Amino acid sequence: MKATHFGRKAAIAVIAAGALALTACGSDNATGTPAGTQSAASGTKVTGTLTGIGASSTGAAMDAWKAGFASANQGATVQYSPDGSGAGRKAIIDGSAQFAGSDAYLKDEELESSKAKCGADGAINIPVYISPIAVAFNLPDIKDLKLDAATVAKIFRGEIANWNDPAIAALNAGVTLPDLKVTPVNRSDDSGTTTNFTDYLAAAAPEVWTDKAAGVWPASLKGENAKGTSGVVKTVTDTPGAVTYADDSAVSGTLGTASIKVGEEFVKISADAAAKAVEAGKAVDGRAANDVAIKLDRKTTVSGAYPVVLVSYHVVCTTYETKEVADLVKAFETYVVSDAGQTAAADAAKSAPLSKTLQDKAKAAIETIKAKA
């Protein structure tokens, strides 16, 4: 994947054009209709109910997308159940959902399995949301800490028992650390956030994090657990000394967050810093041209990049049973990746809008969605 800038400026600069895209989103890309032959003035809309299952990390963005899409298409509704990325991928594969939200792209074996319900070309991954994963903690009077990958790994493996441990103190000169028990909190469900977090640890601190990246937390590790993004955040908020990993949009002002060491600097969490990390990614090898899965470089040393980042995808079928469903999926996904949709997500969830290059790749992938002949 060609490196591009994934900042906010491009999306914000075209809000007026995005508003037009929102008005026309139900018709610009309907199956069998050449792009650009319909406009907002035509009044053509899509109708029906679209069902999705998947990641809880994108909850705020999904609420914004559902509202924006429904306002432009009065007869259309999007239902979304935030049951976790793993549940979403299973649902698109078994046909119980029309799209999945997943913070991890489909594995090769999942792509193969998807062909039974999604046609000979199976399902594809469309990036819709870029966000940093916060290492969030509950410490009295402390909102900022500096941590490196090895120390984060030791914290979540239970190898650092107290917050005033010398390993943490060495990275935080001048900070009075409490003699307080560290309580790691992990996701109990199959989670794309867990996949991304453990992928970072396995790549950036392999000498400490000896488990492979996975959506299910290692059963051998002790600690508290809770379901969903909101579950782990609530547990940490209620537990002094607790620490978790969660999409930054869900972390309230009562919790502190860690700056992560990248090269020789510590990078504070932000959407722009997450976008810089995605710039260092590349296309996943062996995928079809219309599959926009991204392999992230967790060991990047790019200045200002925050590598504990997730790219959330909407996983959709390349082929649907009916034209009505295919048109509805295309219309919704076109809005989601549009300037208007990306700006709505950024405003609601502190995410980084897709770059123009990635946006164009996503739109091209959406155009390939079709109905059975």
PDB file of all heavy atoms in Angstrom, residues 233-265:
ATOM      1  N   VAL A 233     -13.889  -0.923  30.175  1.00  0.00           N
ATOM      2  CA  VAL A 233     -13.736   0.463  30.629  1.00  0.00           C
ATOM      3  C   VAL A 233     -14.440   0.682  31.958  1.00  0.00           C
ATOM      4  O   VAL A 233     -13.915   1.327  32.868  1.00  0.00           O
ATOM      5  CB  VAL A 233     -14.248   1.446  29.560  1.00  0.00           C
ATOM      6  CG1 VAL A 233     -14.297   2.872  30.114  1.00  0.00           C
ATOM      7  CG2 VAL A 233     -13.354   1.404  28.320  1.00  0.00           C
ATOM      8  N   LYS A 234     -15.633   0.123  32.110  1.00  0.00           N
ATOM      9  CA  LYS A 234     -16.370   0.260  33.372  1.00  0.00           C
ATOM     10  C   LYS A 234     -15.629  -0.420  34.515  1.00  0.00           C
ATOM     11  O   LYS A 234     -15.533   0.125  35.622  1.00  0.00           O
ATOM     12  CB  LYS A 234     -17.770  -0.332  33.254  1.00  0.00           C
ATOM     13  CG  LYS A 234     -18.617  -0.131  34.516  1.00  0.00           C
ATOM     14  CD  LYS A 234     -20.003  -0.701  34.369  1.00  0.00           C
ATOM     15  CE  LYS A 234     -20.878  -0.340  35.574  1.00  0.00           C
ATOM     16  NZ  LYS A 234     -20.286  -0.719  36.877  1.00  0.00           N
ATOM     17  N   THR A 235     -15.079  -1.603  34.250  1.00  0.00           N
ATOM     18  CA  THR A 235     -14.347  -2.323  35.293  1.00  0.00           C
ATOM     19  C   THR A 235     -13.141  -1.522  35.773  1.00  0.00           C
ATOM     20  O   THR A 235     -12.889  -1.411  36.979  1.00  0.00           O
ATOM     21  CB  THR A 235     -13.896  -3.699  34.775  1.00  0.00           C
ATOM     22  OG1 THR A 235     -15.047  -4.466  34.406  1.00  0.00           O
ATOM     23  CG2 THR A 235     -13.120  -4.459  35.844  1.00  0.00           C
ATOM     24  N   VAL A 236     -12.409  -0.934  34.841  1.00  0.00           N
ATOM     25  CA  VAL A 236     -11.242  -0.133  35.224  1.00  0.00           C
ATOM     26  C   VAL A 236     -11.670   1.130  35.957  1.00  0.00           C
ATOM     27  O   VAL A 236     -11.055   1.533  36.953  1.00  0.00           O
ATOM     28  CB  VAL A 236     -10.396   0.208  33.982  1.00  0.00           C
ATOM     29  CG1 VAL A 236      -9.275   1.179  34.348  1.00  0.00           C
ATOM     30  CG2 VAL A 236      -9.810  -1.052  33.382  1.00  0.00           C
ATOM     31  N   THR A 237     -12.735   1.761  35.483  1.00  0.00           N
ATOM     32  CA  THR A 237     -13.235   2.972  36.132  1.00  0.00           C
ATOM     33  C   THR A 237     -13.642   2.697  37.573  1.00  0.00           C
ATOM     34  O   THR A 237     -13.461   3.551  38.462  1.00  0.00           O
ATOM     35  CB  THR A 237     -14.436   3.535  35.344  1.00  0.00           C
ATOM     36  OG1 THR A 237     -14.032   3.810  33.996  1.00  0.00           O
ATOM     37  CG2 THR A 237     -14.956   4.813  35.977  1.00  0.00           C
ATOM     38  N   ASP A 238     -14.143   1.509  37.838  1.00  0.00           N
ATOM     39  CA  ASP A 238     -14.613   1.138  39.176  1.00  0.00           C
ATOM     40  C   ASP A 238     -13.526   0.540  40.061  1.00  0.00           C
ATOM     41  O   ASP A 238     -13.778   0.258  41.243  1.00  0.00           O
ATOM     42  CB  ASP A 238     -15.764   0.120  39.068  1.00  0.00           C
ATOM     43  CG  ASP A 238     -17.012   0.712  38.434  1.00  0.00           C
ATOM     44  OD1 ASP A 238     -17.120   1.948  38.370  1.00  0.00           O
ATOM     45  OD2 ASP A 238     -17.879  -0.075  37.996  1.00  0.00           O
ATOM     46  N   THR A 239     -12.310   0.342  39.512  1.00  0.00           N
ATOM     47  CA  THR A 239     -11.274  -0.389  40.239  1.00  0.00           C
ATOM     48  C   THR A 239      -9.968   0.399  40.290  1.00  0.00           C
ATOM     49  O   THR A 239      -9.212   0.438  39.304  1.00  0.00           O
ATOM     50  CB  THR A 239     -11.010  -1.757  39.565  1.00  0.00           C
ATOM     51  OG1 THR A 239     -12.241  -2.448  39.352  1.00  0.00           O
ATOM     52  CG2 THR A 239     -10.081  -2.606  40.422  1.00  0.00           C
ATOM     53  N   PRO A 240      -9.640   1.045  41.412  1.00  0.00           N
ATOM     54  CA  PRO A 240      -8.343   1.719  41.528  1.00  0.00           C
ATOM     55  C   PRO A 240      -7.194   0.748  41.285  1.00  0.00           C
ATOM     56  O   PRO A 240      -7.193  -0.374  41.797  1.00  0.00           O
ATOM     57  CB  PRO A 240      -8.343   2.219  42.979  1.00  0.00           C
ATOM     58  CG  PRO A 240      -9.793   2.379  43.310  1.00  0.00           C
ATOM     59  CD  PRO A 240     -10.481   1.242  42.614  1.00  0.00           C
ATOM     60  N   GLY A 241      -6.249   1.170  40.461  1.00  0.00           N
ATOM     61  CA  GLY A 241      -5.107   0.317  40.136  1.00  0.00           C
ATOM     62  C   GLY A 241      -5.313  -0.545  38.904  1.00  0.00           C
ATOM     63  O   GLY A 241      -4.381  -1.208  38.446  1.00  0.00           O
ATOM     64  N   ALA A 242      -6.517  -0.541  38.343  1.00  0.00           N
ATOM     65  CA  ALA A 242      -6.788  -1.382  37.179  1.00  0.00           C
ATOM     66  C   ALA A 242      -6.268  -0.734  35.900  1.00  0.00           C
ATOM     67  O   ALA A 242      -6.104   0.485  35.813  1.00  0.00           O
ATOM     68  CB  ALA A 242      -8.292  -1.643  37.060  1.00  0.00           C
ATOM     69  N   VAL A 243      -6.025  -1.570  34.897  1.00  0.00           N
ATOM     70  CA  VAL A 243      -5.521  -1.111  33.606  1.00  0.00           C
ATOM     71  C   VAL A 243      -6.105  -2.005  32.524  1.00  0.00           C
ATOM     72  O   VAL A 243      -6.301  -3.200  32.728  1.00  0.00           O
ATOM     73  CB  VAL A 243      -3.974  -1.142  33.577  1.00  0.00           C
ATOM     74  CG1 VAL A 243      -3.440  -2.546  33.842  1.00  0.00           C
ATOM     75  CG2 VAL A 243      -3.427  -0.599  32.263  1.00  0.00           C
ATOM     76  N   THR A 244      -6.405  -1.426  31.374  1.00  0.00           N
ATOM     77  CA  THR A 244      -6.956  -2.200  30.268  1.00  0.00           C
ATOM     78  C   THR A 244      -6.496  -1.627  28.949  1.00  0.00           C
ATOM     79  O   THR A 244      -5.761  -0.630  28.902  1.00  0.00           O
ATOM     80  CB  THR A 244      -8.505  -2.246  30.330  1.00  0.00           C
ATOM     81  OG1 THR A 244      -8.985  -3.266  29.438  1.00  0.00           O
ATOM     82  CG2 THR A 244      -9.130  -0.901  29.946  1.00  0.00           C
ATOM     83  N   TYR A 245      -6.940  -2.253  27.870  1.00  0.00           N
ATOM     84  CA  TYR A 245      -6.729  -1.760  26.510  1.00  0.00           C
ATOM     85  C   TYR A 245      -8.119  -1.581  25.897  1.00  0.00           C
ATOM     86  O   TYR A 245      -8.979  -2.446  26.012  1.00  0.00           O
ATOM     87  CB  TYR A 245      -5.896  -2.753  25.686  1.00  0.00           C
ATOM     88  CG  TYR A 245      -6.480  -4.158  25.678  1.00  0.00           C
ATOM     89  CD1 TYR A 245      -7.320  -4.588  24.647  1.00  0.00           C
ATOM     90  CD2 TYR A 245      -6.222  -5.049  26.724  1.00  0.00           C
ATOM     91  CE1 TYR A 245      -7.882  -5.854  24.649  1.00  0.00           C
ATOM     92  CE2 TYR A 245      -6.779  -6.317  26.739  1.00  0.00           C
ATOM     93  CZ  TYR A 245      -7.606  -6.717  25.705  1.00  0.00           C
ATOM     94  OH  TYR A 245      -8.173  -7.971  25.709  1.00  0.00           O
ATOM     95  N   ALA A 246      -8.370  -0.440  25.266  1.00  0.00           N
ATOM     96  CA  ALA A 246      -9.706  -0.174  24.724  1.00  0.00           C
ATOM     97  C   ALA A 246      -9.626   0.911  23.667  1.00  0.00           C
ATOM     98  O   ALA A 246      -8.722   1.760  23.699  1.00  0.00           O
ATOM     99  CB  ALA A 246     -10.660   0.257  25.835  1.00  0.00           C
ATOM    100  N   ASP A 247     -10.571   0.888  22.746  1.00  0.00           N
ATOM    101  CA  ASP A 247     -10.650   1.952  21.751  1.00  0.00           C
ATOM    102  C   ASP A 247     -10.706   3.296  22.465  1.00  0.00           C
ATOM    103  O   ASP A 247     -11.461   3.487  23.418  1.00  0.00           O
ATOM    104  CB  ASP A 247     -11.903   1.755  20.896  1.00  0.00           C
ATOM    105  CG  ASP A 247     -11.939   2.718  19.729  1.00  0.00           C
ATOM    106  OD1 ASP A 247     -12.465   3.832  19.908  1.00  0.00           O
ATOM    107  OD2 ASP A 247     -11.435   2.370  18.656  1.00  0.00           O
ATOM    108  N   ASP A 248      -9.903   4.236  21.985  1.00  0.00           N
ATOM    109  CA  ASP A 248      -9.768   5.521  22.672  1.00  0.00           C
ATOM    110  C   ASP A 248     -11.085   6.274  22.795  1.00  0.00           C
ATOM    111  O   ASP A 248     -11.279   7.037  23.744  1.00  0.00           O
ATOM    112  CB  ASP A 248      -8.735   6.378  21.941  1.00  0.00           C
ATOM    113  CG  ASP A 248      -8.375   7.641  22.698  1.00  0.00           C
ATOM    114  OD1 ASP A 248      -8.201   7.572  23.934  1.00  0.00           O
ATOM    115  OD2 ASP A 248      -8.266   8.700  22.068  1.00  0.00           O
ATOM    116  N   SER A 249     -12.007   6.052  21.852  1.00  0.00           N
ATOM    117  CA  SER A 249     -13.285   6.766  21.892  1.00  0.00           C
ATOM    118  C   SER A 249     -14.100   6.419  23.128  1.00  0.00           C
ATOM    119  O   SER A 249     -14.967   7.192  23.539  1.00  0.00           O
ATOM    120  CB  SER A 249     -14.113   6.448  20.645  1.00  0.00           C
ATOM    121  OG  SER A 249     -14.500   5.082  20.622  1.00  0.00           O
ATOM    122  N   ALA A 250     -13.820   5.253  23.736  1.00  0.00           N
ATOM    123  CA  ALA A 250     -14.610   4.801  24.880  1.00  0.00           C
ATOM    124  C   ALA A 250     -13.992   5.158  26.224  1.00  0.00           C
ATOM    125  O   ALA A 250     -14.597   4.936  27.274  1.00  0.00           O
ATOM    126  CB  ALA A 250     -14.805   3.282  24.817  1.00  0.00           C
ATOM    127  N   VAL A 251     -12.789   5.733  26.201  1.00  0.00           N
ATOM    128  CA  VAL A 251     -12.082   6.030  27.448  1.00  0.00           C
ATOM    129  C   VAL A 251     -12.493   7.405  27.952  1.00  0.00           C
ATOM    130  O   VAL A 251     -12.289   8.410  27.279  1.00  0.00           O
ATOM    131  CB  VAL A 251     -10.560   5.957  27.244  1.00  0.00           C
ATOM    132  CG1 VAL A 251      -9.829   6.338  28.516  1.00  0.00           C
ATOM    133  CG2 VAL A 251     -10.160   4.557  26.791  1.00  0.00           C
ATOM    134  N   SER A 252     -13.053   7.441  29.136  1.00  0.00           N
ATOM    135  CA  SER A 252     -13.555   8.701  29.692  1.00  0.00           C
ATOM    136  C   SER A 252     -12.423   9.514  30.296  1.00  0.00           C
ATOM    137  O   SER A 252     -11.302   9.030  30.493  1.00  0.00           O
ATOM    138  CB  SER A 252     -14.605   8.414  30.767  1.00  0.00           C
ATOM    139  OG  SER A 252     -13.997   7.828  31.897  1.00  0.00           O
ATOM    140  N   GLY A 253     -12.747  10.766  30.628  1.00  0.00           N
ATOM    141  CA  GLY A 253     -11.762  11.659  31.195  1.00  0.00           C
ATOM    142  C   GLY A 253     -11.308  11.299  32.592  1.00  0.00           C
ATOM    143  O   GLY A 253     -10.324  11.845  33.087  1.00  0.00           O
ATOM    144  N   THR A 254     -11.995  10.361  33.236  1.00  0.00           N
ATOM    145  CA  THR A 254     -11.596   9.968  34.589  1.00  0.00           C
ATOM    146  C   THR A 254     -10.390   9.036  34.592  1.00  0.00           C
ATOM    147  O   THR A 254      -9.750   8.861  35.630  1.00  0.00           O
ATOM    148  CB  THR A 254     -12.765   9.276  35.310  1.00  0.00           C
ATOM    149  OG1 THR A 254     -13.120   8.081  34.604  1.00  0.00           O
ATOM    150  CG2 THR A 254     -13.971  10.191  35.396  1.00  0.00           C
ATOM    151  N   LEU A 255     -10.080   8.437  33.444  1.00  0.00           N
ATOM    152  CA  LEU A 255      -8.970   7.496  33.359  1.00  0.00           C
ATOM    153  C   LEU A 255      -7.751   8.156  32.731  1.00  0.00           C
ATOM    154  O   LEU A 255      -7.863   9.074  31.917  1.00  0.00           O
ATOM    155  CB  LEU A 255      -9.368   6.271  32.528  1.00  0.00           C
ATOM    156  CG  LEU A 255     -10.548   5.447  33.048  1.00  0.00           C
ATOM    157  CD1 LEU A 255     -10.804   4.258  32.117  1.00  0.00           C
ATOM    158  CD2 LEU A 255     -10.297   4.962  34.470  1.00  0.00           C
ATOM    159  N   GLY A 256      -6.594   7.660  33.095  1.00  0.00           N
ATOM    160  CA  GLY A 256      -5.365   8.100  32.470  1.00  0.00           C
ATOM    161  C   GLY A 256      -5.034   7.229  31.278  1.00  0.00           C
ATOM    162  O   GLY A 256      -5.553   6.111  31.143  1.00  0.00           O
ATOM    163  N   THR A 257      -4.157   7.718  30.401  1.00  0.00           N
ATOM    164  CA  THR A 257      -3.710   6.942  29.247  1.00  0.00           C
ATOM    165  C   THR A 257      -2.203   7.047  29.106  1.00  0.00           C
ATOM    166  O   THR A 257      -1.595   8.041  29.502  1.00  0.00           O
ATOM    167  CB  THR A 257      -4.372   7.426  27.936  1.00  0.00           C
ATOM    168  OG1 THR A 257      -4.109   8.819  27.754  1.00  0.00           O
ATOM    169  CG2 THR A 257      -5.875   7.192  27.963  1.00  0.00           C
ATOM    170  N   ALA A 258      -1.612   6.010  28.537  1.00  0.00           N
ATOM    171  CA  ALA A 258      -0.155   5.951  28.423  1.00  0.00           C
ATOM    172  C   ALA A 258       0.318   6.468  27.075  1.00  0.00           C
ATOM    173  O   ALA A 258      -0.309   6.205  26.041  1.00  0.00           O
ATOM    174  CB  ALA A 258       0.315   4.517  28.620  1.00  0.00           C
ATOM    175  N   SER A 259       1.428   7.191  27.088  1.00  0.00           N
ATOM    176  CA  SER A 259       2.178   7.480  25.873  1.00  0.00           C
ATOM    177  C   SER A 259       3.093   6.291  25.619  1.00  0.00           C
ATOM    178  O   SER A 259       3.658   5.716  26.552  1.00  0.00           O
ATOM    179  CB  SER A 259       3.009   8.754  26.035  1.00  0.00           C
ATOM    180  OG  SER A 259       2.179   9.882  26.221  1.00  0.00           O
ATOM    181  N   ILE A 260       3.216   5.896  24.361  1.00  0.00           N
ATOM    182  CA  ILE A 260       3.951   4.675  24.010  1.00  0.00           C
ATOM    183  C   ILE A 260       5.285   5.029  23.356  1.00  0.00           C
ATOM    184  O   ILE A 260       5.355   5.905  22.483  1.00  0.00           O
ATOM    185  CB  ILE A 260       3.107   3.799  23.063  1.00  0.00           C
ATOM    186  CG1 ILE A 260       1.796   3.391  23.744  1.00  0.00           C
ATOM    187  CG2 ILE A 260       3.893   2.571  22.610  1.00  0.00           C
ATOM    188  CD1 ILE A 260       1.955   2.555  25.005  1.00  0.00           C
ATOM    189  N   LYS A 261       6.335   4.331  23.754  1.00  0.00           N
ATOM    190  CA  LYS A 261       7.660   4.597  23.199  1.00  0.00           C
ATOM    191  C   LYS A 261       7.762   4.074  21.776  1.00  0.00           C
ATOM    192  O   LYS A 261       7.481   2.901  21.502  1.00  0.00           O
ATOM    193  CB  LYS A 261       8.750   3.971  24.064  1.00  0.00           C
ATOM    194  CG  LYS A 261      10.156   4.440  23.670  1.00  0.00           C
ATOM    195  CD  LYS A 261      11.208   3.940  24.642  1.00  0.00           C
ATOM    196  CE  LYS A 261      12.568   4.536  24.289  1.00  0.00           C
ATOM    197  NZ  LYS A 261      13.642   4.049  25.187  1.00  0.00           N
ATOM    198  N   VAL A 262       8.145   4.952  20.870  1.00  0.00           N
ATOM    199  CA  VAL A 262       8.348   4.619  19.453  1.00  0.00           C
ATOM    200  C   VAL A 262       9.705   5.185  19.067  1.00  0.00           C
ATOM    201  O   VAL A 262       9.907   6.405  19.096  1.00  0.00           O
ATOM    202  CB  VAL A 262       7.237   5.228  18.564  1.00  0.00           C
ATOM    203  CG1 VAL A 262       7.519   4.922  17.098  1.00  0.00           C
ATOM    204  CG2 VAL A 262       5.877   4.695  18.972  1.00  0.00           C
ATOM    205  N   GLY A 263      10.639   4.321  18.726  1.00  0.00           N
ATOM    206  CA  GLY A 263      12.001   4.786  18.488  1.00  0.00           C
ATOM    207  C   GLY A 263      12.572   5.346  19.769  1.00  0.00           C
ATOM    208  O   GLY A 263      12.616   4.662  20.790  1.00  0.00           O
ATOM    209  N   GLU A 264      12.951   6.614  19.747  1.00  0.00           N
ATOM    210  CA  GLU A 264      13.526   7.239  20.941  1.00  0.00           C
ATOM    211  C   GLU A 264      12.570   8.228  21.591  1.00  0.00           C
ATOM    212  O   GLU A 264      12.969   8.949  22.513  1.00  0.00           O
ATOM    213  CB  GLU A 264      14.832   7.958  20.573  1.00  0.00           C
ATOM    214  CG  GLU A 264      15.928   7.025  20.083  1.00  0.00           C
ATOM    215  CD  GLU A 264      16.257   5.947  21.099  1.00  0.00           C
ATOM    216  OE1 GLU A 264      16.389   6.263  22.301  1.00  0.00           O
ATOM    217  OE2 GLU A 264      16.376   4.772  20.697  1.00  0.00           O
ATOM    218  N   GLU A 265      11.314   8.276  21.135  1.00  0.00           N
ATOM    219  CA  GLU A 265      10.356   9.222  21.698  1.00  0.00           C
ATOM    220  C   GLU A 265       9.131   8.500  22.254  1.00  0.00           C
ATOM    221  O   GLU A 265       8.878   7.337  21.946  1.00  0.00           O
ATOM    222  CB  GLU A 265       9.916  10.236  20.632  1.00  0.00           C
ATOM    223  CG  GLU A 265       9.125   9.629  19.494  1.00  0.00           C
ATOM    224  CD  GLU A 265       8.652  10.656  18.492  1.00  0.00           C
ATOM    225  OE1 GLU A 265       8.476  11.829  18.851  1.00  0.00           O
ATOM    226  OE2 GLU A 265       8.433  10.281  17.316  1.00  0.00           O
TER     227      GLU A 265
END
